Amino acid sequence: MAAPKLTRVVASFSCTATGNQTIQLEALRGSKVVLYFYPKDATPGCTTEGQEFRDLHAEFRQQNAVVFGVSRDPLASHEKFREKHGFPFELLADTDEKLCRQFDV
């Protein structure tokens, strides 16, 4: 049995991210985009989740997928969290909760 294909068509979005970036969905056209939502930087469960995405990052890239972690925390918190755990992907600061609402998180 083949694994189910999980896709969701969403409206475009723009969100501030670590690395002094703004991520725009339109700019990623042609790539698979993986957004994982988590409650708070540096909590045990969220750290483990981020580390798992970090450890599987090369496999996502082989599938032409771009990974982003999303939480309501501010960029300063994201920068520390990302650096401490060596995340090779950017973290999006959804401080106004627009992405959370868009994805019913």
Side-chain angles (χ1 to χ4, degrees), residues 37-98:
F37 290 81
Y38 64 98
K40 189 158 181 62
D41 292 340
T43 58
C46 298
T47 298
T48 299
E49 183 179 27
Q51 290 169 337
E52 289 174 354
F53 275 99
R54 177 198 63 204
D55 295 347
L56 294 170
H57 191 257
E59 292 179 47
F60 281 102
R61 294 303 303 149
Q62 288 174 351
Q63 298 298 316
N64 193 34
V66 183
V67 175
F68 298 101
V70 183
S71 87
R72 296 170 180 94
D73 290 316
L75 279 177
S77 176
H78 280 347
E79 292 287 2
K80 291 176 190 172
F81 186 47
R82 183 174 180 256
E83 183 178 330
K84 181 176 181 177
H85 296 286
F87 297 154
F89 48 83
E90 304 302 334
L91 301 177
L92 307 183
D94 188 30
T95 56
D96 59 7
E97 300 184 16
K98 284 183 181 178

